[in-house]
C-alpha cells in the first residue's frame, strides 16, 4: 500500500528542483559490494536502505505514472535515495534534526539551499557570459519559420481520398491542382507566409506541426490523421529561427548560466559526499527488483 511518506517524496526521487536532469546520468552505482543482507539494497557508512523501502517508492511512482518503471528508472531512484541520505547526514552535522516525511524533505531542501547560496554573489565576467551564450546559441534561438500548405479531407472516405490525392502527387501533379480537384474547402486557412512553429501549432496542433518541421522545402507529407479528418502537408519555405543578440536577452542568459552552475555545484558536492562515504550496493537485490526493459 502506498503511504503518504512515499508519495510526498516522489518529486525529489524523480525530478529534484535544483539538481534537475544532472542526477539522471546515473553512472553512480559501482561494483563495490561486499555481502549485504537480502533485506538491504544499499548501505551508506553502515546505515541501511532497506529493499522494502526501495520497493515502496518504486510502486508509488509506478502508480503515479500508470506503468512499470524501467531498469534505468529504478537505478535512478536508488541513486536519489542514496543522495538524500547523504544530504540529510550533512544537514545533521550542520545542526538540523532528522525526522520523517515533510521535515526530511525540508532538511534536504535546506542543505541544497545552503550549497547553492554560496554561489549567489558569484557573477560571470562579460567574457564568460559571452562564451556561454555562443556555446548555447541553439538554446536561446527562436523557433524556425515555416510556410505550409495543407490539403484537407473530411467524411467517411477521407482516408481513401487522401491516399488517392497522394498518388496523384507522386504521379507529378502539382499540389495546387490536386487540392482544387480532390480536397475539401478549409474553414480556417493557413497564413500564406512563414510563421513561427509555435504559432503554426495553433492551426495544425503539435503532431502535425512536428511533421511539418521534418519536411524539406518543396516536399509534401504522406496522408496524416487529424482528428476525424486527414491532411497532406506541403512545406513551401523554411527560414531558420533568429538568434537574438546577447545584449537583448542578457538577463535570460544570466539566469540560465546561474541555474546550470547551481546544478553542477550540487552535483559536485554530492560526488564529494559519495567519495567520502562507504556506499555499498546490493547488486543482486537491485537486479532482482529491476524489470527487464
Amino acid at each position: 500500500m502506498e503511504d503518504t511518506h512515499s508519495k510526498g517524496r516522489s518529486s525529489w526521487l524523480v525530478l529534484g528542483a535544483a539538481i534537475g536532469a544532472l542526477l539522471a546520468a546515473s553512472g553512480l552505482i559501482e561494483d563495490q559490494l561486499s555481502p549485504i543482507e537480502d533485506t538491504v539494497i544499499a548501505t551508506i557508512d553502515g546505515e541501511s536502505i532497506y529493499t522494502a523501502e526501495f520497493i515502496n517508492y518504486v510502486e508509488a511512482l509506478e502508480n503515479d505514472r500508470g506503468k512499470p518503471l524501467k531498469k534505468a528508472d529504478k537505478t535512478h531512484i536508488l541513486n536519489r535515495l542514496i543522495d538524500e541520505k547523504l544530504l540529510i547526514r550533512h544537514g545533521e552535522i550542520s545542526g538540523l534534526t532528522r525526522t520523517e516525511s515533510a521535515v526530511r524533505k525540508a532538511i534536504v531542501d535546506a542543505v541544497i539551499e545552503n550549497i547553492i547560496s554560496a554561489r549567489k554573489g558569484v557573477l560571470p565576467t562579460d567574457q564568460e557570459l559571452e562564451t556561454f551564450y555562443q556555446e548555447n546559441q541553439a538554446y536561446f534561438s527562436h523557433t524556425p519559420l515555416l510556410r505550409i500548405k495543407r490539403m484537407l479531407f473530411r467524411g467517411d472516405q477521407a482516408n481513401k481520398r487522401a491516399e488517392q490525392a497522394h498518388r496523384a502527387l507522386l504521379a507529378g501533379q502539382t499540389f495546387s491542382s490536386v487540392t482544387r480537384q480532390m480536397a475539401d474547402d478549409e474553414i480556417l486557412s493557413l497564413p500564406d507566409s512563414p510563421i513561427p512553429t509555435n504559432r503554426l501549432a495553433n492551426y495544425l496542433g503539435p503532431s502535425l506541426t512536428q511533421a511539418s518541421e521534418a519536411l524539406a522545402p518543396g516536399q509534401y507529407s504522406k496522408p496524416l490523421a487529424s482528428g476525424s479528418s486527414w491532411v497532406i502537408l506541403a512545406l513551401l519555405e523554411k527560414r531558420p529561427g533568429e538568434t537574438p543578440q546577447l545584449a537583448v536577452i542578457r538577463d535570460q542568459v544570466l539566469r540560465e548560466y546561474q541555474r546550470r552552475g547551481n546544478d553542477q555545484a550540487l552535483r559536485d558536492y554530492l560526488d564529494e559526499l559519495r567519495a567520502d562515504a562507504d556506499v555499498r550496493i546490493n547488486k543482486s537485490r537491485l537486479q532482482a527488483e529491476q524489470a527487464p526493459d
Side-chain angles (χ1 to χ4, degrees):
M1 177 177 173
E2 177 182 343
D3 61 23
T4 55
H5 175 43
S6 303
K7 192 169 183 179
R9 293 169 63 196
S10 63
S11 60
W12 157 252
L13 294 172
V14 178
L15 299 175
I19 301 177
L22 290 171
L23 285 181
S26 296
L28 304 178
I29 289 181
E30 301 175 356
D31 291 317
Q32 46 178 348
L33 175 66
S34 60
I36 300 177
E37 296 179 35
D38 214 34
T39 57
V40 174
I41 199 166
T43 64
I44 302 94
D45 291 335
E47 181 179 355
S48 298
I49 297 176
Y50 289 96
T51 304
E53 179 185 10
F54 170 74
I55 293 173
N56 196 25
Y57 296 139
V58 168
E59 289 178 347
L61 291 169
E62 287 179 335
N63 289 336
D64 286 344
R65 292 187 178 185
K67 62 181 180 180
L69 299 180
K70 295 183 178 181
K71 285 183 180 180
D73 296 323
K74 294 183 179 181
T75 300
H76 176 60
I77 288 171
L78 181 56
N79 273 311
R80 298 305 288 270
L81 288 170
I82 292 170
D83 287 338
E84 183 189 58
K85 296 241 181 225
L86 291 167
L87 289 170
I88 288 173
R89 172 177 297 153
H90 178 77
E92 290 177 321
I93 293 171
S94 302
L96 299 171
T97 303
R98 175 202 296 256
T99 58
E100 292 300 318
S101 193
V103 178
R104 288 173 63 90
K105 181 180 182 299
I107 292 174
V108 171
D109 290 346
V111 174
I112 290 173
E113 178 60 29
N114 286 339
I115 294 167
I116 292 175
S117 64
R119 302 188 69 259
K120 283 186 176 177
V122 179
L123 294 175
T125 64
D126 289 344
Q127 183 57 54
E128 287 172 336
L129 196 63
E130 175 69 32
T131 300
F132 175 78
Y133 173 71
Q134 294 297 334
E135 291 175 349
N136 295 276
Q137 278 200 10
Y139 180 87
F140 297 106
S141 295
H142 294 161
T143 60
L145 306 177
L146 306 180
R147 184 159 72 99
I148 294 287
K149 278 193 174 181
R150 170 181 59 183
M151 287 188 207
L152 180 63
F153 304 88
R154 304 187 191 90
D156 294 338
Q157 300 296 314
N159 187 12
K160 292 182 179 180
R161 292 169 53 222
E163 290 175 352
Q164 182 182 3
H166 189 250
R167 288 193 294 270
L169 291 171
L170 293 176
Q173 294 190 43
T174 66
F175 198 89
S176 296
S177 65
V178 174
T179 300
R180 286 194 304 271
Q181 295 170 29
M182 301 183 182
D184 294 317
D185 292 335
E186 296 198 64
I187 298 173
L188 181 63
S189 299
L190 295 174
D192 190 22
S193 61
I195 61 174
T197 52
N198 57 351
R199 185 180 163 201
L200 183 62
N202 294 334
Y203 294 90
L204 299 179
S207 59
L208 292 182
T209 300
Q210 187 175 8
S212 300
E213 291 182 275
L215 297 173
Q219 187 180 20
Y220 48 80
S221 72
K222 62 182 182 181
L224 301 168
S226 177
S228 60
S229 303
W230 286 78
V231 301
I232 297 175
L233 303 171
L235 177 61
L236 304 184
E237 185 180 355
K238 184 174 185 177
R239 299 179 187 174
E242 297 180 356
T243 303
Q245 295 295 315
L246 174 58
V248 176
I249 58 167
R250 182 182 177 84
D251 289 345
Q252 178 188 347
V253 176
L254 178 59
R255 286 194 300 271
E256 183 61 19
Y257 179 95
Q258 291 173 323
R259 185 191 67 79
R260 296 190 192 183
N262 291 343
D263 286 350
Q264 189 59 50
L266 184 53
R267 179 66 267 162
D268 291 344
Y269 194 80
L270 281 165
D271 287 344
E272 291 177 12
L273 292 178
R274 279 180 178 252
D276 292 339
D278 179 18
V279 178
R280 297 168 184 254
I281 309 299
N282 188 336
K283 297 288 283 187
S284 60
R285 184 69 265 172
L286 176 61
Q287 290 168 0
E289 297 301 332
Q290 287 178 323
D293 288 342

